Amino acid sequence: MTAAEQTTAVRAAAEAQQQAAVTVAAPAFVPACPGAGKTHVITSRHLQPPRQRLRQGRALISFTRVARDQMTRRCRQAGRADLVQAPHFIGTLDSFLWEFLVKPQRAADPVPRLLESWASIKAPVEGMDREVSLHRFPMVLDPSRHPARATVAWDKLDYDTRQLIEASSYSRTAWEEKIFETRKSWCRQGYFTGHEARVLALWNLRHAKTAAALLPPLRSRFAEIIVDEAQDCSAADLALLQLLHDAGLPLVLVGDPDQAIYAWRGAEPQALRSFSAQLSPTPHQLTGNWRSSPVICRLAATLRTGQRAPDTSVVRNDDIPVLLLPTQFAASGSRHLHAPTGAGIVDAFRTLAEEYTVQAEDCLVTAYKYATLPGISREKTNTNAITSLAWACTVAHTSGASGDDLTRACAIAVRVLFGYWYPDQSGGPDRVMAARRLPASQVNRTAFAFLHSLPAPHKEWGPQVWQAMKAWPPLPGAAPQGGKGRPAGKPTVSRPQAATGMRTNIVHQLKGDEADGVLLLLPDAGSVQRWASADPAADEVLRVWYVAVTRARRLAAIALPQEETDTLARFLAGRHVPLRIA
C-alpha cells in the first residue's frame, strides 16, 4: 500500500467511526480520544431528525459556554437555525438543570436567578467575629443520601480563608451553621448557584409529586439528551443522569475518562465507566485523532490508563520529536531558565519552535498552577476588593488579554462601582440593573472606561481609586452614602512580567483549546518518577498532563528539572516516542 493509499484508508476508518457514533441508537456511551471531532459528531447527530415520532427535540448539554456556542454556531452554519430553538435545547448542564428540573418548581416572586457563583453578589457570612464571603466556602454534595446532603469542604479551603477560620473564636460547627443560614437567606431572595440547583433537582426527581410534574414534559419533548465532556460529571451529576435514565429519557454520553481533571468537584473516571456500562455494554470508540501528529499520539499514550495503543493520527504526518528542555526552575515567580543556554525557558522554546516552522503566535505555554506560568498575574478568587480591582485594571491595560479575563475584569469593576453608587441595593449587579433599567451595554462601557482611567496599581493605590470613584459620572439612580462602598486596604500588586508572545494558561482552562506547539512546565521534583510509575486511573495529575500534551497539533515540549531529563528520555524512548533533548 502506498503512503497516499494508507492515508486514505486511515481517514476512511476514522470517518466510519464518527458515522457509527452519529447513528448509534440511544442510550449509548461514546468514548472519544482527544481531537476525535466530538463537536462534529454531536452536531451531525443533531442535524438528523429524531427517530421517535412524538419526541421532536434534542438536548445538547455541555459544561462550558464555549462548547455551547460552538455547537450553536455549527447548526447555524449548516442552515439549521431551527435546531437551536425549542423544542431543542443547547446549553450547559447548569442551565439544563435550572430550566427543566428546578425553575418550574420555584415561585415567580422573587424572580429566581441562577448565579455562576456566590462571588457574583455581595453575600458575606455575618454574625461571626470576622466577615468572610460565602463564595470562599466550597461545598461538597453527597448524592447517595436522601435527601442529598451538602457539607462545607473544609479541606479545600484556600490558604487565606483557612487562616481566617483558624484564628476565629468560633468552631467550625458554628461557622457551618452560619454558612448554611446565609445560603438559605439568599435562596429565599431568589438566588441560587449550580450547587443549589443540583440539590433541588435531586430533591425534585426523588419525590413522586414533583417528579410527576417535571418528567412527562421532558419525556414528550426530548428524543434524547446528549452530554458532551461526560468525564466532567460529578457524583451528583451522574446521580441526576441516572434518575433521568431510569425515567426513560434516552442518554448519549460523549467523553474521555482519561481527561477527567476535576476531582475537586467530584468528577472521577471510574464513576463514569460504571455508569456508562449501563448505557451500552459495547462503547462506540472514537480513536481517530484529527488534531495531533503521530509523535504526539505516542507521547499521549504514555499518560493514560491501560497502556492502550496510541490513537491514530488522521490528518498529520509531522515527525517533529518531543522536545525535552532541561530547566532551572525559579524557587518563586516564573523566571525559569533553560539550563544549556541560560535563556528564559519560554524564549528557548520560541527559538526551538521556529526551527520547526512553528510560530510563537501558534504556541501555548501551560502548567498545573498559575504561579508557574509567565505573563500577567492571575486573579485569586479570594481577595479583597482593592486587590481584585488592581488585577482588573492590569488586565484592562494588557494588550492581548483573553476574553475571559476581560469579562471577569469588567464584572469586578461593575461590582465595585455599584457598591458605591447603590449601597442599599440588595443582591448582585443583575438585580440593580433590572431595578434601575440599566442596559448591560451601558454598564459595561462605563466599567471599562473607569478601569482605563485608573493609574497603574501600586501599594498606595487605594486613595487614588477612591478619588476616581467619587469623581466618575454616576449611572442613573446612583445614591452614594459617604464612604460606603469604598475599597479598603492596600492591593497586593504583582510585579509586571514581560509578555511572552504566546498564550499562557493553566491546563484546567484549556479544554477545547489547541495550538501548533505546546510547552508543558513540570517544575516539581519527582515528576518523571510519577509519569513512569503512577496509575492515571488513580492519579489526576497524570490526567492533567495528558490533557496538556494533547492540545498540541505539531510540537510538544516538556520543561523539567535538569537532573531528571535523562530519566524521562529513557522512559519515552522505551515507549518508542521520538524525542530530542534540547
Side-chain angles (χ1 to χ4, degrees):
M1 183 182 293
T2 66
E5 290 173 336
Q6 186 174 6
T7 299
T8 300
V10 167
R11 189 182 188 105
E15 289 175 341
Q17 283 186 339
Q18 289 184 331
Q19 186 58 32
V22 167
T23 57
V24 63
F29 174 49
V30 181
C33 73
K38 292 189 291 79
T39 304
H40 168 74
V41 168
I42 292 171
T43 307
S44 297
R45 187 178 181 93
H46 192 36
L47 290 171
Q48 297 184 355
R51 298 179 182 180
Q52 291 90 336
R53 181 176 300 176
L54 295 179
R55 300 182 183 184
Q56 298 300 314
R58 273 196 185 91
L60 275 57
I61 298 173
S62 64
F63 279 84
T64 67
R65 286 171 294 186
V66 172
R68 173 202 66 190
D69 294 344
Q70 188 177 18
M71 290 187 287
T72 299
R73 183 168 57 252
R74 292 200 180 193
C75 288
R76 294 187 185 280
Q77 289 172 345
R80 295 296 307 275
D82 58 301
L83 293 180
V84 305
Q85 303 167 355
H88 307 288
F89 172 87
I90 302 179
T92 64
L93 180 59
D94 280 8
S95 61
F96 178 85
L97 298 177
W98 179 253
E99 290 296 328
F100 298 107
L101 300 179
V102 177
K103 192 176 178 181
Q105 294 295 312
R106 306 309 303 171
D109 186 25
V111 177
R113 298 176 184 274
L114 179 65
L115 306 173
E116 285 196 18
S117 86
W118 290 118
S120 304
I121 62 174
K122 292 184 289 185
V125 179
E126 298 174 317
M128 309 298 280
D129 55 357
R130 59 207 61 217
E131 186 177 294
V132 184
S133 296
L134 183 58
H135 75 276
R136 297 176 74 162
F137 298 99
M139 298 286 175
V140 61
L141 179 62
D142 181 1
S144 66
R145 301 185 61 165
H146 185 52
R149 184 171 181 266
T151 56
V152 176
W154 294 107
D155 60 326
K156 293 182 173 62
L157 293 184
D158 65 89
Y159 176 80
D160 292 337
T161 306
R162 189 181 308 115
Q163 293 293 102
L164 286 171
I165 300 304
E166 289 178 353
S168 171
S169 60
Y170 288 88
S171 67
R172 284 188 174 183
T173 301
W175 272 100
E176 188 156 304
E177 181 179 336
K178 188 62 68 171
I179 289 165
F180 281 99
E181 180 182 312
T182 303
R183 288 173 68 242
K184 188 174 181 179
S185 172
W186 283 103
C187 290
R188 282 197 296 264
Q189 296 180 56
Y191 288 102
F192 303 87
T193 70
H195 177 84
E196 286 73 38
R198 283 161 174 76
V199 172
L200 292 170
L202 284 167
W203 175 273
N204 289 339
L205 288 181
R206 286 171 171 172
H207 284 75
K209 185 176 180 180
T210 50
L214 293 171
L215 289 173
L218 287 177
R219 282 194 291 257
S220 64
R221 175 171 176 170
F222 293 122
E224 62 188 25
I225 297 173
I226 305 176
V227 181
D228 186 22
E229 301 287 5
Q231 73 276 355
D232 294 341
C233 288
S234 67
D237 298 334
L238 292 178
L240 286 162
L241 292 176
Q242 180 74 65
L243 290 167
L244 294 177
H245 173 66
D246 293 344
L249 282 153
L251 302 180
V252 178
L253 271 57
V254 184
D256 180 3
D258 290 316
Q259 294 187 65
I261 61 172
Y262 297 107
W264 59 271
R265 67 186 187 199
E268 293 292 345
Q270 187 53 48
L272 173 62
R273 292 188 179 98
S274 298
F275 177 71
S276 62
Q278 304 177 48
L279 305 182
S280 51
T282 305
H284 293 263
Q285 299 270 357
L286 295 179
T287 60
N289 188 322
W290 298 74
R291 174 192 301 154
S292 301
S293 71
V295 173
I296 294 167
C297 289
R298 284 188 173 275
L299 174 66
T302 69
L303 283 167
R304 67 183 184 189
T305 57
Q307 297 189 0
R308 303 191 307 277
D311 297 318
T312 303
S313 179
V314 179
V315 296
R316 299 199 179 278
N317 56 11
D318 301 84
D319 58 358
I320 304 173
V322 174
L323 301 182
L324 302 185
L325 308 183
T327 305
Q328 296 174 353
F329 286 96
S332 62
S334 57
R335 183 58 181 168
H336 314 307
L337 301 180
H338 181 229
T341 64
I345 190 61
V346 175
D347 293 331
F349 174 58
R350 181 190 296 108
T351 299
L352 290 164
E354 288 174 353
E355 290 185 21
Y356 298 102
T357 67
V358 177
Q359 302 304 310
E361 58 268 24
D362 293 324
C363 288
L364 175 66
V365 181
T366 189
Y368 188 85
K369 300 176 182 178
Y370 276 128
T372 307
L373 290 172
I376 65 169
S377 60
R378 300 285 173 171
E379 181 207 15
K380 292 184 178 180
T381 56
N382 300 314
T383 56
N384 58 25
I386 194 69
T387 294
S388 290
L389 190 65
W391 176 86
C393 181
T394 302
V395 169
H397 286 85
T398 299
S399 175
S402 71
D404 286 345
D405 280 351
L406 289 169
T407 299
R408 191 181 298 275
C410 179
I412 290 170
V414 169
R415 288 202 303 270
V416 170
L417 289 172
F418 276 22
Y420 170 58
W421 284 337
Y422 310 102
D424 292 332
Q425 180 72 50
S426 64
D430 59 338
R431 186 161 287 184
V432 175
M433 291 162 62
R436 305 290 177 179
R437 296 185 179 180
L438 300 174
S441 57
Q442 179 186 10
V443 171
N444 291 339
R445 284 196 302 270
T446 299
F448 271 120
F450 174 70
L451 287 175
H452 277 282
S453 75
L454 296 175
H458 54 88
K459 292 199 174 181
E460 303 302 325
W461 190 55
Q464 292 178 295
V465 170
W466 180 234
Q467 293 303 318
M469 290 174 65
K470 292 191 293 183
W472 198 259
L475 290 172
Q481 296 179 15
K484 281 190 175 182
R486 176 176 181 172
K490 296 182 179 181
T492 301
V493 182
S494 299
R495 184 185 305 168
Q497 297 170 323
T500 66
M502 303 179 184
R503 289 182 293 128
T504 63
N505 217 331
I506 59 168
V507 182
H508 288 84
Q509 299 296 324
L510 294 182
K511 283 295 190 71
D513 203 350
E514 58 185 61
D516 276 356
V518 171
L519 171 62
L520 172 61
L521 304 176
L522 300 182
D524 296 331
S527 292
V528 172
Q529 177 64 23
R530 190 172 202 161
W531 190 319
S533 61
D535 179 8
D539 191 337
E540 188 187 48
V541 172
L542 295 188
R543 301 196 296 270
V544 170
W545 297 347
Y546 175 76
V547 169
V549 300
T550 56
R551 302 309 95 191
R553 289 188 286 258
R554 300 178 55 211
L555 169 64
I558 313 294
L560 69 165
Q562 182 178 9
E563 60 274 15
E564 299 191 17
T565 306
D566 289 341
T567 304
L568 182 58
R570 288 192 296 271
F571 171 74
L572 294 180
R575 301 291 293 274
H576 308 292
V577 178
L579 60 91
R580 170 189 171 190
I581 299 177

